[in-house]
Amino acid sequence: MAQDEPTTAWIVTVDVHRSASLDAVASALEDCGLRVDRVLPAAGVVHGRADRDRREALAAVDGVTSVDPVRDVSIAPPDADVQ
């Protein structure tokens, strides 16, 4: 992957029936262009970065149920005014 290409952080959810082979799914995702950052076995999730156009290829990996972009969420502090 070229450094100047736009990449997206992805959360890849793996079918619970495949969770025993989560490492194999993570390896297959790497073969499809995902740079794996974390594998979370308890959640059945693989987190990593790949080019935006790789989403379909990542979703086609056996055992993958969803490929979703990471989104930033911010919550106001407890003492903030309610709007």
Side-chain angles (χ1 to χ4, degrees):
M1 176 176 345
Q3 285 184 302
D4 60 345
E5 292 181 26
T7 62
T8 298
W10 299 104
I11 296 176
V12 181
T13 306
V14 177
D15 186 324
V16 294
H17 297 104
R18 294 282 313 231
S19 61
S21 59
L22 189 59
D23 288 333
V25 174
S27 180
L29 289 166
E30 285 180 320
D31 291 344
C32 286
L34 185 73
R35 288 187 317 232
V36 174
D37 295 327
R38 288 176 281 187
V39 177
L40 306 170
V45 168
V46 177
H47 181 272
R49 297 189 69 80
D51 293 341
R52 291 179 211 152
D53 65 354
R54 301 304 301 158
R55 185 177 190 170
E56 284 186 39
L58 297 172
V61 169
D62 187 37
V64 169
T65 59
S66 67
V67 179
D68 301 297
V70 172
R71 293 197 163 82
D72 291 329
V73 176
S74 62
I75 300 173
D79 60 345
D81 291 334
V82 177
Q83 294 186 12

